[in-house]
Amino acid sequence: MAQLTVSGRDTVYVWVGRDAGGQPDPAAVLVRRAGALLLGRAATEVVLTHDRDGRPIVRVDDATGSVELAVSVSRTAGLVVVAARRAGAVGVDVERVRPLPALALARRWFPPAELAWLGDRPEAHRTVDFLRLWTAKEAVGKALGRGLRDGGLRRLMPPPGLPLRPVPGVEPLRVGHPRLDEGLVLAVAAPAPVDVEVVQWAGHGATAERSASVERTSLPVVVRGN
C-alpha cells in the first residue's frame, strides 16, 4: 500500500481487496494500513474508533495531540472496500451485480421520481441502475453518520455516474460511481469538491499487492485497477 502516491489535494482514497474471512479481519488490516499511509505513522500506532455521530475513524495519539482520519467500510461477497479521507466525512458502498426484481424493490423502497426514472431505463440495465441508486443511498447515509435510518432509502439521489454530483437537500454532499470490474457497483460520497482515487488489490491483509494495471478516467476522478 505504501506505493500509493498521496496527493496534497482533498482526495478520497478507496482500497478494494479480497475478503476471505478469518483473522485478522481484512477490513481492519486495510483500515490500519490506510491510516498509516495517510497519517504518516506505523500501522501499529493507528487506533480504530468512532466519532460522536457513530462514523468510524482512525486516530493517532502522540505528545502533540491526536490526529484523526475519516474512514468508511463496505463488504459484499468475497470483497471488502475501505475509503479514507483526511479532510472530512466519507461514505462508501459496494454491491455485486446479481439477478433481482429491480422495479418491485424500487416500488417498495424508492421515491416516485426514482421509480419513474428506473422504469424508463432499458430493461437490460435496470438491475445495475437499481444497485447504483441503492449504493449511493448507502454511501450518503454513511457520510452523514445516519446510515439508512430516518427514511434514507427515500432520500433522492442524483442520476448515477461521474463526476460526483450534488445530493438534493444535503449539499455540499456529493455522490458518484467510480467504475470497478464488471459485475461490481461502487458508490462514494463526500463533501465536494474532492478527487477520488480507487486502488484495487490482489490478495488481502498484509499480503495484499496493488494491481499493476492502471486506468484513468477524466479528472477529477482517478480510477486505478483492472
Side-chain angles (χ1 to χ4, degrees):
M1 186 174 290
Q3 300 175 48
L4 177 65
T5 300
V6 179
S7 167
R9 295 169 61 90
D10 185 3
T11 302
V12 174
Y13 296 96
V14 183
W15 289 274
V16 182
R18 291 204 301 267
D19 183 2
Q23 295 297 325
D25 180 5
V29 172
L30 283 177
V31 166
R32 280 197 167 89
R33 289 166 67 88
L37 176 64
L38 297 186
L39 297 177
R41 304 295 182 89
T44 54
E45 298 180 69
V46 175
V47 177
L48 279 64
T49 183
H50 294 80
D51 68 13
R52 60 187 179 185
D53 293 319
R55 291 174 292 205
I57 59 174
V58 295
R59 190 183 73 236
V60 171
D61 301 315
D62 60 23
T64 63
S66 297
V67 181
E68 295 181 348
L69 177 76
V71 296
S72 183
V73 178
S74 182
R75 300 177 192 262
T76 190
L79 200 72
V80 60
V81 172
V82 170
R85 178 176 178 235
R86 288 184 293 187
V90 64
V92 71
D93 196 63
V94 66
E95 291 281 351
R96 288 195 181 275
V97 178
R98 71 272 188 193
L100 51 80
L103 285 180
L105 291 171
R107 190 172 295 111
R108 179 179 181 184
W109 297 112
F110 290 177
E114 289 178 346
L115 174 61
W117 176 83
L118 195 63
D120 288 338
R121 299 291 291 161
E123 186 174 355
H125 297 167
R126 280 182 191 155
T127 293
V128 171
D129 287 330
F130 172 86
L131 289 173
R132 286 173 175 156
L133 290 172
W134 185 281
T135 56
K137 293 170 190 287
E138 289 270 20
V140 167
K142 292 177 182 180
L144 292 173
R146 304 177 198 164
L148 294 178
R149 300 187 303 274
D150 302 323
L153 285 174
R154 293 279 178 179
R155 189 179 295 120
L156 189 65
M157 294 294 108
L162 288 175
L164 273 62
R165 298 171 182 176
V167 179
V170 289
E171 295 184 46
L173 199 67
R174 297 193 177 207
V175 66
H177 295 82
R179 189 167 66 86
L180 285 184
D181 292 343
E182 186 176 353
L184 295 170
V185 176
L186 173 71
V188 175
V194 295
D195 293 344
V196 178
E197 182 158 338
V198 180
V199 184
Q200 189 155 327
W201 292 76
H204 67 277
T207 62
E209 296 181 356
R210 190 175 62 182
S211 169
S213 62
V214 175
E215 177 186 357
R216 294 180 180 272
T217 66
S218 58
L219 293 176
V221 178
V222 181
V223 180
R224 297 176 185 260
N226 294 326

